[in-house]
């Protein structure tokens, strides 16, 4: 194999992390530590593509780091750091701004959604966001990126950038001793116990940190009482639970809660329905509330403990950044050499 397997992923320090981030991403990131060389980043430079309150941003960076650690990312096994500490992210992003084409960026659906109607007033950073993301990944020449469905288009752009770079500079890359191209064709890894955790208020919408109702999501900072209350108040329909997955069709709220139960208990939807099928929702919700509290309250307690010790969290980020910088500097040296900049 030409490229050593390496995982890179990141989350933005904006708003509250929630159950969807945990079951859809973090659980999987934690598992990948056993099989891959992993780099996990708090992408704070992506956060400032939209205006952030500076004091809130600083605490959000520590909060996401605390969530990473509480969920089980081990800074001894993996590199855990925040993006802005490794200047090479911005440096490589500039080179990629010069590789990517306007037409490619014009197609990005996330930009269209985030910029909304007032496109002229969106930041240049928001537009160039995918090039910074490609730089995050390719700086470590990562081969696998665990992400949600919504990031697939950005991963395609990452591959387009890698391919164009590999083609545009083929002779220089070969002369530098890279017979198979300099950047790998990175693959998204879309898996996790529950890749689509939906809002507790509306089963057709994803659980989101920006939902106006806090009852729509279970935040990783919610305490046991809040978790239990949100589960009990979650929207459902009047029918009892079916005994088989087929019976969940067209019942998005029921499907979501059963999916969450299955993911948290590490059982299949079939097994969960075999146990609760035919029963009332209230019984199932009580069981789900107990399970969610049992699984999430320790994580919540760990996060609080970590947040009470910002010196420790900052130390993890500093150490992670030092290790990340070693890889990043090596890549950047090659890139400068290949492109024709003096090292
Ligand atoms: N765009 C990603 C999101 O909003 C965050 C992100 C930035 C990312 N850089 C990344 C994810 C690199 C994976 C790899 O979820």
């Amino acid at each position: 194999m030409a490229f050593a397997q390496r995982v890179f992923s990141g989350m933005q320090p904006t708003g509250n992390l929630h159950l969807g981030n945990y079951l859809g991403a973090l659980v999987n990131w934690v598992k990948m530590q056993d099989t891959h060389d992993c780099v996990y980043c708090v992408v704070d430079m992506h956060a400032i593509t939209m205006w952030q309150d500076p004091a809130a941003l600083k605490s959000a960076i520590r909060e996401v780091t605390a969530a990473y650690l509480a969920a089980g990312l081990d800074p001894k096994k993996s590199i855990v750091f925040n993006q802005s500490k490794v200047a090479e992210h911005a440096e490589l992003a500039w080179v990629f701004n010069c590789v990517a084409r306007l037409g490619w960026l014009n197609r990005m659906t996330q930009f269209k959604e985030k910029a909304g109607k007032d496109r002229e007033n969106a930041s240049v950073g928001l537009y160039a966001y995918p090039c910074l993301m490609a730089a995050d990944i390719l700086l470590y020449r990562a081969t696998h990126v665990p992400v949600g469905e919504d990031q697939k288009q950005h991963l395609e752009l990452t591959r387009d950038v890698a391919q164009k770079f590999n083609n545009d500079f083929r002779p220089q890359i070969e002369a530098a001793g890279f017979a198979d191209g300099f950047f790998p064709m990175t693959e998204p890894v879309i898996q996790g116990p529950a890749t689509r955790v939906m809002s507790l208020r509306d089963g057709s919408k994803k659980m989101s940190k920006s939902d106006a109702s806090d009852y729509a999501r279970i935040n990783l900072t919610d305490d046991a009482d809040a978790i239990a209350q949100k589960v009990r108040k979650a929207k459902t329909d009047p029918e009892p639970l079916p005994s088989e997955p087929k019976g969940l069709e067209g019942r998005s709220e029921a499907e979501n809660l059963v999916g969450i139960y299955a993911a948290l208990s590490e059982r299949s939807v079939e097994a969960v329905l075999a146990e609760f099928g035919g029963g009332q929702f209230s019984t199932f919700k009580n069981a789900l509330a107990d399970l969610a509290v049992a699984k999430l309250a320790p994580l919540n307690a760990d996060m609080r403990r970590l947040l009470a010790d910002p010196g420790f969290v900052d130390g993890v980020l500093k150490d992670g950044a030092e290790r990340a910088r070693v890889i990043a500097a090596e890549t950047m040296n090659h890139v400068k050499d290949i492109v024709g900049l003096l090292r």
Side-chain angles (χ1 to χ4, degrees):
M1 205 178 318
F3 289 92
Q5 300 225 337
R6 180 176 277 146
V7 164
F8 183 97
S9 201
M11 284 184 197
Q12 292 194 47
T14 49
N16 269 325
L17 292 191
H18 53 69
L19 186 64
N21 301 118
Y22 179 67
L23 291 176
L26 288 176
V27 170
N28 196 31
W29 294 13
V30 171
K31 280 216 187 86
M32 292 184 107
Q33 295 184 116
D34 297 329
T35 48
H36 291 76
D37 167 15
C38 299
V39 183
Y40 295 121
C41 188
V42 179
V43 289
D44 47 11
M45 295 205 299
H46 277 103
I48 60 170
T49 56
M50 315 268 267
W51 194 85
Q52 304 296 325
D53 175 75
L57 179 58
K58 280 187 187 162
S59 26
I61 295 168
R62 294 195 176 106
E63 211 170 284
V64 172
T65 309
Y68 281 7
L69 301 178
L73 293 191
D74 178 352
K76 289 195 196 72
K77 284 190 203 157
S78 305
I79 296 180
V80 177
F81 75 110
N82 61 311
Q83 189 185 29
S84 59
K85 279 217 169 75
V86 179
E88 284 84 353
H89 286 254
E91 228 179 330
L92 185 58
W94 181 259
V95 175
F96 288 172
N97 282 343
C98 303
V99 172
R101 307 287 96 182
L102 282 179
W104 303 358
L105 290 174
N106 284 338
R107 285 196 287 275
M108 295 294 113
T109 55
Q110 185 173 300
F111 173 76
K112 289 181 199 163
E113 276 160 28
K114 288 200 179 180
K117 285 199 193 82
D118 194 8
R119 253 171 104 159
E120 296 289 305
N121 199 34
S123 74
V124 173
L126 188 67
Y127 186 73
Y129 179 119
C131 288
L132 178 59
M133 179 161 165
D136 296 340
I137 297 165
L138 296 176
L139 198 46
Y140 304 93
R141 303 209 292 154
T143 51
H144 295 86
V145 175
V147 277
E149 283 282 343
D150 62 332
Q151 295 299 312
K152 263 176 126 168
Q153 198 185 29
H154 288 158
L155 263 292
E156 275 163 34
L157 184 117
T158 301
R159 282 195 298 277
D160 288 344
V161 166
Q163 192 158 41
K164 183 159 166 58
F165 184 94
N166 286 346
N167 283 336
D168 286 357
F169 301 103
R170 179 163 307 170
Q172 293 75 14
I173 290 170
E174 277 171 9
F178 299 93
D180 303 303
F182 184 64
F183 289 121
M185 295 298 127
T186 309
E187 290 296 332
V189 180
I190 300 182
Q191 61 187 33
T195 47
R196 283 182 73 74
V197 176
M198 311 308 278
S199 156
L200 300 181
R201 305 262 88 207
D202 175 353
S204 69
K205 283 200 317 205
K206 266 182 81 173
M207 186 175 284
S208 154
K209 49 186 164 191
S210 56
D211 201 307
S213 166
D214 200 50
Y215 276 92
R217 64 183 160 261
I218 296 176
N219 301 306
L220 298 185
T221 48
D222 285 343
D223 62 15
D225 286 345
I227 296 171
Q229 208 181 38
K230 286 176 178 183
V231 171
R232 294 213 178 87
K233 291 208 160 146
K235 187 176 169 205
T236 45
D237 56 48
E239 305 297 317
L241 277 176
S243 305
E244 286 171 25
K246 259 203 334 274
L248 290 172
E249 274 168 30
R251 298 177 63 189
S252 54
E253 282 86 15
E255 185 179 12
N256 186 38
L257 294 181
V258 171
I260 292 172
Y261 192 101
L264 284 173
S265 61
E266 296 173 61
R267 289 161 66 192
S268 66
V269 168
E270 283 82 356
V272 174
L273 290 178
E275 182 180 341
F276 291 99
Q280 285 308 314
F281 251 115
S282 52
T283 316
F284 173 68
K285 277 184 168 179
N286 284 334
L288 178 56
D290 289 347
L291 175 65
V293 167
K295 288 280 171 173
L296 298 176
L299 195 151
N300 176 261
D302 261 2
M303 266 182 83
R304 279 172 204 272
R305 191 176 48 74
L306 288 161
L307 289 172
D309 189 356
F312 176 79
V313 172
D314 289 4
V316 167
L317 292 175
K318 182 164 179 279
D319 173 67
E322 275 162 20
R323 288 153 61 206
R325 219 173 275 134
V326 174
I327 307 171
E330 195 190 326
T331 303
M332 213 46 227
N333 275 337
H334 283 303
V335 168
K336 283 187 172 170
D337 199 36
I338 288 166
V339 170
L341 304 168
L342 300 178
R343 296 190 179 190

